[in-house]
Amino acid sequence: SRPVAHRDFVFPLNFSQKKNQEYLIRVKSAIAMQLPLSVQSYDGFWADEQYHLARIGLFFGMALVMVIFNLFIFLMIGDRSYIPYVIFVISLTTFLGTLEGLGFQFFWPASARLNASIITISLATSAASGLLFVNWFLEMRNRRPRTSIALTFVTRMLWLVAFAGIFMPFSTVIKPAIGLSVLGVSIAFWAGIAEWNHGSAAGRYFTFSWAGIVFGAFALALSKLGIIPRTTITTYSLHYGAAAEFVMLAMALGARINRVREETEQAEAESEKLRN
C-alpha cells in the first residue's frame, strides 16, 4: 500500500514538531537495489513532477504513434518483417513503463509478483524481437552466416528466459535476461558497424539508430547490477536512445522496403524485355 498514489514510493512527513525525528526504512530486493532518498516540500515535489511527467509522456506517446504507424503499414503492404519491429517497440515500451512504476501504479497495484514477472518477460521479449529484426534487416543469413547463427542462438535463449519468467522467481531469471540482452545488443551493434564498413546503407542506418540503445542498455544494466550509481543519465538514457531508435529504424525500414520494391519492379521490367 502507498499513502500517495504515485509510481514511486512517496510518503508524507510531518515536520511541524520542532524536535529531532527518527525514521526507519526497511527494504528488500532480489537483486541490486537503488534507494534514492530526497525530502521536498509539497509544492516543490509537484512542481518537479510536471517535468518528469512531460518526459515520460513524450516518450510513451511517441512509442504509441510508432506502433500504430507500423501496424498500419503492415496491414497495407502485408510485409511480415514489420511484425518483429512492432513487437520490439511494444515490448521495450512495456519494459520501460514497468521499470518506471507505471504498470504497478495503474494496472496491477496489488501484485508485486506480477510486476517482477512483467519486467523480466518484457525485457527478454524486447531483446529477442529486436535481434530477430536485426537478423532480417541486415540480411545476416546471406552476408554473415556465423553472426546470424549467434544472433539466432541468443534470440532463442531469450525466448526461453521470457517463458521462464512466467513461472520462475524474479531473482533467478533477471540476471540471464540482462546478460543475454547485453550480449545480443553487442553482437548486433558489431554486425551493423561491419556492414557499414563494407558500404551497406542498411548498416549505416542501423548503426546510427542502435548507438543510443547500446549506450542506454549498458548504462541501465550496469546500474541495475549495482556496478555504477543510479543517476538521471542512467535512468533515462534508455528512454531517449529507444525513442531515437524507433524513429530512425522506422525511416530505415521504409527506405529498405521501397528499395526492395524498386529492385523487384526493375527485375520484372528486364524480364519482360527479354521475353519480348
Side-chain angles (χ1 to χ4, degrees):
S1 70
R2 305 186 186 190
V4 178
H6 192 267
R7 63 186 182 276
D8 294 325
F9 293 95
V10 179
F11 302 92
L13 301 176
N14 183 10
F15 291 125
S16 59
Q17 300 178 3
K18 295 183 178 179
K19 62 178 183 180
N20 292 333
Q21 299 182 54
E22 185 179 77
Y23 296 91
L24 302 179
I25 301 176
R26 181 182 179 184
V27 294
K28 182 180 180 181
S29 175
I31 59 172
M33 180 191 308
Q34 292 82 36
L35 189 66
L37 298 177
S38 63
V39 179
Q40 291 180 283
S41 66
Y42 180 88
D43 294 336
F45 172 79
W46 290 112
D48 290 343
E49 184 69 5
Q50 304 309 308
Y51 292 100
H52 292 297
L53 291 176
R55 282 194 296 234
I56 294 173
L58 180 64
F59 170 75
F60 288 104
M62 192 215 62
L64 179 61
V65 170
M66 287 292 100
V67 169
I68 295 174
F69 171 75
N70 285 282
L71 280 176
F72 179 75
I73 295 297
F74 166 71
L75 294 175
M76 290 292 294
I77 67 176
D79 193 325
R80 291 182 297 177
S81 57
Y82 273 83
I83 296 178
Y85 176 73
V86 171
I87 296 175
F88 168 69
V89 175
I90 294 175
S91 301
L92 186 56
T93 304
T94 302
F95 170 69
L96 293 175
T98 307
L99 211 60
E100 285 285 349
L102 298 176
F104 196 88
Q105 179 184 2
F106 293 109
F107 300 107
W108 45 83
S111 179
R113 171 72 175 84
L114 177 60
N115 189 72
S117 296
I118 294 295
I119 289 177
T120 304
I121 295 170
S122 58
L123 172 60
T125 303
S126 63
S129 56
L131 296 181
L132 191 64
F133 170 78
V134 170
N135 222 343
W136 168 83
F137 183 74
L138 295 180
E139 300 177 348
M140 288 288 98
R141 290 183 181 179
N142 298 326
R143 295 177 178 270
R144 298 180 182 276
R146 292 183 180 179
T147 303
S148 177
I149 292 173
L151 288 173
T152 301
F153 174 76
V154 177
T155 300
R156 291 176 179 176
M157 293 298 295
L158 284 165
W159 288 126
L160 288 176
V161 170
F163 181 74
I166 302 175
F167 310 101
M168 299 181 68
F170 176 77
S171 58
T172 303
V173 292
I174 187 60
K175 291 183 179 180
I178 293 175
L180 288 169
S181 299
V182 171
L183 176 62
V185 166
S186 302
I187 295 173
F189 191 53
W190 173 85
I193 294 175
E195 286 300 302
W196 185 6
N197 289 334
H198 282 76
S200 170
R204 182 174 66 253
Y205 283 126
F206 173 79
T207 302
F208 275 120
S209 64
W210 207 252
I213 206 167
V214 167
F215 174 79
F218 271 97
L220 184 64
L222 294 175
S223 172
K224 293 305 176 185
L225 292 173
I227 298 175
I228 62 176
R230 180 184 185 273
T231 64
T232 302
I233 294 177
T234 59
T235 300
Y236 291 103
S237 59
L238 188 56
H239 294 69
Y240 297 139
E245 184 190 37
F246 291 164
V247 175
M248 294 183 68
L249 279 184
M251 296 173 60
L253 192 56
R256 188 183 188 280
I257 295 297
N258 288 333
R259 179 177 60 82
V260 171
R261 179 174 296 178
E262 290 174 358
E263 291 176 353
T264 302
E265 292 176 353
Q266 184 179 357
E268 291 176 352
E270 291 177 355
S271 299
E272 185 66 25
K273 288 181 180 180
L274 292 174
R275 284 196 296 267
N276 294 332

